[in-house]
């Protein structure tokens, strides 16, 4: 079997995809895996040992320069892409997987003569390939600044049915006294600041005198780093050398970089500083040994492709040296890492049931899901949050009822020759109430809001889109409420047995140490 994987993103994204590639290899141990990536990231070969059999390169930079060069033949770029497509089609791939999900990769996937295409591709003038709910969720949530309940790797693993692990380290790490700082990122909006990193270095060295602090950097970063660090503080290296340093480090402190993804796969503990366009809910280090410090600035996370609109770098200023050092201390001292909130775990459980439901071989068995959830979460803590959880469920249900109530009928819209905003003013007000409340943090009503914002040619289309969106919301809420009901039932049963209620007499019988004996005084026919 020959599998082609498309990964036409940046270096950090490719490194982040390593668990997916390893999972694909695990699932298809005898397959021949080919990876298509941009030529400028060819050095990633050295850190994907034993996972990919063959690398194929897309000359993106060369093609872009040619298209912008007035003296170049305008057809040259087209001819280069045509040659690549012909080469790919001649290799007889059995399956193609698109890990990129942008327009370029979709168009390229559309030209491939491969029967089994998985992920986004273009055909018949439209985008196709969103074959399950996980893929649609990924496509919806990762196209902008919408929040995601699931990590990038986790989502694609579910979407393509690829097993993934949080980190590859299976043996205990050697004790080390080396702390590494990765100070610079590919986007200055995500840079915490060299002066703050310099202060952090001094704080660690003063407070933890037996630890050595070194600064990782690429050769082109040396000049910038020397403004705040001495030459002896620097470890200027390429990717394979950085990997070796990470393997021997006790901790990495970093921004949103490709290095953090490499550290995650090695099993190096991480303190990640998420500022600027960095969105840890989607692309934080995929590791159980990572702590993320996220700015609380209202403008973050911002759009990756836009410059910072603020007069100062407010998101970086919001994260103090003391805050980062506190996380460093906790990691190095072995303090228990902060767990994700129980509310967030509940949301992930509900959405997992919803997203799994579209797969033919999966049914949302709420009792089983609830039992599994309670096995990994304390019942007492759950009881403390269920009141607020149920209150929010009721709020969602009220919003849904109101939206259905103010939605004009299809017949009303079908007879209209023109459309006025006033025709759906109550629906718009309903959506505004939801957005202003800021209570729909994980996007139950996102599809409803987007339906109102979509373009349409005829008034009746607004009914079709909004009605379909509200039905999706209703399905989600039904799953949420069913899951909650089973959680409450199972947790109450557990509480009864814990309090000894299971030892009370039942239907005229009293439990003794030897057996169940009839109690003549209480027995009834």
């Amino acid at each position: 079997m020959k599998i082609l994987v498309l990964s036409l993103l940046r270096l950090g994204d490719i490194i982040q995809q390593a668990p997916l590639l390893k999972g694909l290899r695990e699932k298809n141990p005898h397959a021949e895996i080919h990876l298509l990536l941009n030529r400028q990231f060819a050095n990633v070969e050295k850190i994907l040992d034993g996972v990919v059999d063959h690398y194929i390169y897309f000359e993106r930079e060369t093609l872009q320069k040619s298209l912008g060069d007035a003296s170049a033949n305008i057809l040259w770029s087209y001819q280069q892409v045509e040659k690549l497509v012909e080469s790919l089609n001649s290799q007889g791939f059995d399956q193609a997987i698109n890990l990129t999900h942008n327009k370029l990769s979709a168009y390229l996937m559309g030209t491939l003569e491969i029967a089994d295409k998985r992920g986004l591709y273009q055909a018949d003038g439209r985008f196709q390939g969103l074959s399950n709910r996980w893929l649609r969720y990924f496509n919806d949530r990762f196209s902008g600044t919408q929040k995601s309940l699931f990590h990038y790797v986790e989502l694609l693993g579910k979407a393509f049915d690829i097993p993934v692990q949080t980190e590859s380290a299976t043996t205990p790490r050697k004790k080390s006294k080396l702390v590494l700082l990765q100070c610079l990122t590919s986007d200055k909006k995500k840079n915490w600041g060299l002066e703050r990193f310099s202060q952090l270095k001094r704080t660690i060295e003063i407070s933890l005198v037996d630890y050595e602090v070194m600064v990782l950097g690429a050769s082109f970063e040396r000049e910038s780093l020397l403004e705040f660090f001495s030459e002896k503080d620097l470890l200027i290296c390429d990717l394979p050398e950085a990997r070796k340093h990470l393997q021997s480090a006790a901790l990495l402190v970093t921004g949103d970089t490709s290095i953090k993804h490499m550290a995650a796969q090695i099993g190096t503990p991480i303190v990640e500083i998420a500022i600027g366009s960095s969105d840890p809910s989607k692309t934080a280090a995929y590791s159980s040994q990572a702590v993320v410090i996220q700015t609380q600035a209202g403008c973050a996370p911002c759009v990756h492709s836009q410059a910072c609109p603020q007069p100062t770098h407010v998101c970086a200023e919001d994260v103090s040296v003391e805050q980062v050092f506190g996380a460093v201390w906790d990691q190095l001292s072995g303090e228990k890492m902060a767990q994700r909130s129980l509310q967030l775990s509940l949301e992930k459980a509900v959405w997992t049931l919803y997203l799994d439901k579209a797969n033919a071989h999966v049914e949302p068995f709420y009792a089983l899901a609830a039992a599994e959830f309670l096995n990994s979460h304390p019942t007492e803590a759950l009881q403390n949050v269920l009141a607020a959880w149920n209150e929010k469920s009721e709020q969602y249900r009220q919003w849904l009822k109101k939206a259905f109530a103010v939605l004009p009928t299809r017949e009303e819209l079908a007879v209209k020759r023109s459309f006025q905003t006033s025709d759906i003013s109550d629906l718009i007000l309903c959506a505004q109430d939801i957005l202003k409340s800021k209570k729909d943090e994980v996007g139950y009503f996102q599809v409803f809001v987007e339906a109102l914002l979509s373009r349409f040619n005829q008034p009746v289309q607004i009914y079709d889109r909004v009605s379909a969106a509200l039905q999706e919301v209703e399905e989600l809420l039904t799953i949420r409420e069913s899951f909650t009901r089973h959680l409450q039932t199972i947790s109450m049963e557990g509480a009864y047995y814990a309090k000894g209620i299971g030892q009370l007499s039942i239907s005229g019988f009293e439990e003794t140490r030897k057996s169940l004996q009839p109690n003549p005084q209480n027995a009834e026919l």
Side-chain angles (χ1 to χ4, degrees):
M1 183 178 184
K2 293 181 70 173
I3 302 174
L4 175 65
V5 179
L6 277 68
S7 181
L8 300 177
L9 294 172
R10 295 161 297 182
L11 180 62
D13 299 292
I14 301 170
I15 296 174
Q16 185 178 212
Q17 291 165 359
L20 291 163
L21 294 169
K22 291 175 182 177
L24 186 64
R25 166 63 67 205
E26 178 185 329
K27 187 176 179 180
N28 304 278
H30 305 297
E32 195 175 293
I33 298 176
H34 297 239
L35 180 63
L36 176 66
L37 67 159
N38 293 317
R39 167 70 71 178
Q40 65 264 39
F41 304 130
N43 55 348
V44 80
E45 282 190 33
K46 300 175 182 178
I47 59 173
L48 290 177
D49 302 333
V51 179
V52 176
D53 297 300
H54 299 283
Y55 293 87
I56 306 169
Y57 296 107
F58 185 76
E59 305 289 350
R60 182 165 184 162
E61 282 192 338
T62 304
L63 293 171
Q64 286 177 328
K65 289 179 181 178
S66 173
L67 289 171
D69 186 353
S71 63
N73 184 338
I74 194 171
L75 295 178
W76 184 85
S77 295
Y78 170 80
Q79 291 168 347
Q80 298 306 305
V81 174
E82 187 177 45
K83 288 180 182 178
L84 173 63
V85 171
E86 289 176 355
S87 173
L88 293 173
N89 284 332
S90 69
Q91 295 187 47
F93 288 108
D94 300 291
Q95 185 181 101
I97 299 175
N98 185 3
L99 296 182
T100 307
H101 271 239
N102 60 17
K103 289 183 179 179
L104 173 62
S105 66
Y107 284 121
L108 189 56
M109 280 278 284
T111 65
L112 299 178
E113 298 170 358
I114 302 174
D116 185 4
K117 295 180 182 179
R118 303 190 179 188
L120 193 67
Y121 67 93
Q122 196 273 346
D124 301 325
R126 59 191 182 90
F127 292 112
Q128 302 184 42
L130 303 180
S131 55
N132 61 58
R133 289 183 176 182
W134 286 102
L135 271 173
R136 291 194 289 275
Y137 185 95
F138 172 78
N139 201 60
D140 291 343
R141 299 303 174 99
F142 279 76
S143 59
T145 58
Q146 301 93 334
K147 291 293 184 182
S148 172
L149 275 171
F150 303 91
H151 190 276
Y152 174 89
V153 174
E154 186 179 13
L155 262 179
L156 287 181
K158 290 279 192 178
F160 296 119
D161 193 24
I162 298 174
V164 293
Q165 297 179 351
T166 52
E167 57 256 347
S168 61
T170 56
T171 56
R173 292 177 55 79
K174 295 180 180 179
K175 290 185 177 180
S176 168
K177 295 294 184 180
L178 173 63
V179 175
L180 296 177
L181 308 181
Q182 176 69 39
C183 304
L184 298 173
T185 73
S186 60
D187 181 355
K188 65 179 183 180
K189 290 187 301 182
K190 298 189 289 187
N191 288 342
W192 187 43
L194 291 176
E195 184 175 358
R196 294 186 184 90
F197 268 111
S198 177
Q199 293 174 11
L200 176 66
K201 181 178 185 295
R202 290 196 297 271
T203 303
I204 295 173
E205 290 171 338
I206 292 171
S207 304
L208 304 166
V209 293
D210 54 340
Y211 278 87
E212 179 185 17
V213 184
M214 300 292 289
V215 180
L216 282 176
S219 56
F220 66 88
E221 296 172 334
R222 182 193 296 271
E223 187 175 343
S224 297
L225 292 171
L226 285 175
E227 293 180 19
F228 290 89
F229 303 98
S230 66
E231 185 71 45
K232 64 181 180 62
D233 294 328
L234 304 185
L235 292 173
I236 302 299
C237 54
D238 59 14
L239 279 178
E241 291 170 336
R243 184 183 179 89
K244 291 180 181 178
H245 292 310
L246 290 168
Q247 287 173 330
S248 61
L251 180 69
L252 170 70
V253 185
T254 180
D256 185 7
T257 64
S258 57
I259 296 298
K260 77 174 185 186
H261 296 305
M262 192 187 304
Q265 290 150 35
I266 294 170
T268 306
I270 301 165
V271 171
E272 177 181 345
I273 304 167
I275 57 179
S277 58
S278 176
D279 188 346
S281 71
K282 300 176 180 178
T283 55
Y286 192 59
S287 169
S288 61
Q289 300 187 74
V291 169
V292 179
I293 299 174
Q294 185 175 9
T295 177
Q296 298 303 308
C299 55
C302 54
V303 179
H304 175 74
S305 58
Q306 296 179 357
C308 177
Q310 303 293 344
T312 63
H313 200 186
V314 293
C315 58
E317 296 163 3
D318 181 58
V319 179
S320 68
V321 173
E322 292 77 14
Q323 187 179 0
V324 177
F325 176 71
V328 169
W329 178 281
D330 288 345
Q331 286 282 61
L332 294 177
S333 64
E335 294 288 335
K336 185 178 180 181
M337 293 172 57
Q339 299 294 318
R340 303 191 80 181
S341 73
L342 189 54
Q343 290 270 7
L344 193 58
S345 297
L346 283 165
E347 294 288 14
K348 289 191 71 170
V350 170
W351 279 81
T352 297
L353 286 167
Y354 170 75
L355 295 171
D356 273 344
K357 192 175 180 182
N359 296 330
H361 64 285
V362 176
E363 286 294 333
F365 295 111
Y366 302 116
L368 178 60
E372 291 177 351
F373 185 90
L374 288 168
N375 282 338
S376 54
H377 296 85
T379 303
E380 290 184 5
L382 179 65
Q383 294 295 336
N384 293 334
V385 303
L386 275 180
W389 172 263
N390 289 333
E391 184 178 334
K392 183 169 286 189
S393 296
E394 181 59 28
Q395 175 68 78
Y396 290 165
R397 182 59 72 178
Q398 292 301 320
W399 282 337
L400 181 63
K401 288 179 180 178
K402 182 178 179 181
F404 269 126
V406 299
L407 174 64
T409 66
R410 199 174 195 280
E411 290 73 21
E412 288 174 325
L413 293 173
V415 298
K416 288 185 176 292
R417 294 183 179 180
S418 62
F419 176 76
Q420 302 283 332
T421 304
S422 59
D423 294 332
I424 56 168
S425 58
D426 289 336
L427 270 178
I428 294 172
L429 288 173
C430 183
Q432 288 177 343
D433 287 342
I434 295 170
L435 294 174
K436 288 179 181 177
S437 74
K438 296 183 179 180
K439 291 182 179 179
D440 185 24
E441 303 93 340
V442 300
Y444 280 80
F445 287 84
Q446 179 179 313
V447 65
F448 164 59
V449 174
E450 290 176 351
L452 286 174
L453 296 174
S454 63
R455 295 180 179 180
F456 53 90
N457 297 321
Q458 299 176 351
V460 72
Q461 289 178 331
I462 194 70
Y463 173 86
D464 294 337
R465 293 174 185 175
V466 172
S467 177
L470 292 177
Q471 287 172 19
E472 285 189 34
V473 176
E474 183 164 34
E475 183 181 357
L476 255 172
L477 293 186
T478 300
I479 290 174
R480 179 187 175 106
E481 290 159 358
S482 299
F483 180 65
T484 305
R485 186 170 61 254
H486 282 85
L487 275 178
Q488 290 173 319
T489 300
I490 296 173
S491 60
M492 287 174 65
E493 288 175 352
Y496 290 158
Y497 282 103
K499 293 178 180 179
I501 296 177
Q503 299 175 9
L504 297 179
S505 60
I506 303 175
S507 300
F509 284 82
E510 290 181 346
E511 187 174 0
T512 68
R513 294 183 180 179
K514 295 182 179 179
S515 62
L516 288 174
Q517 302 292 335
N519 181 354
Q521 294 179 347
N522 295 334
E524 296 177 0
L525 293 177

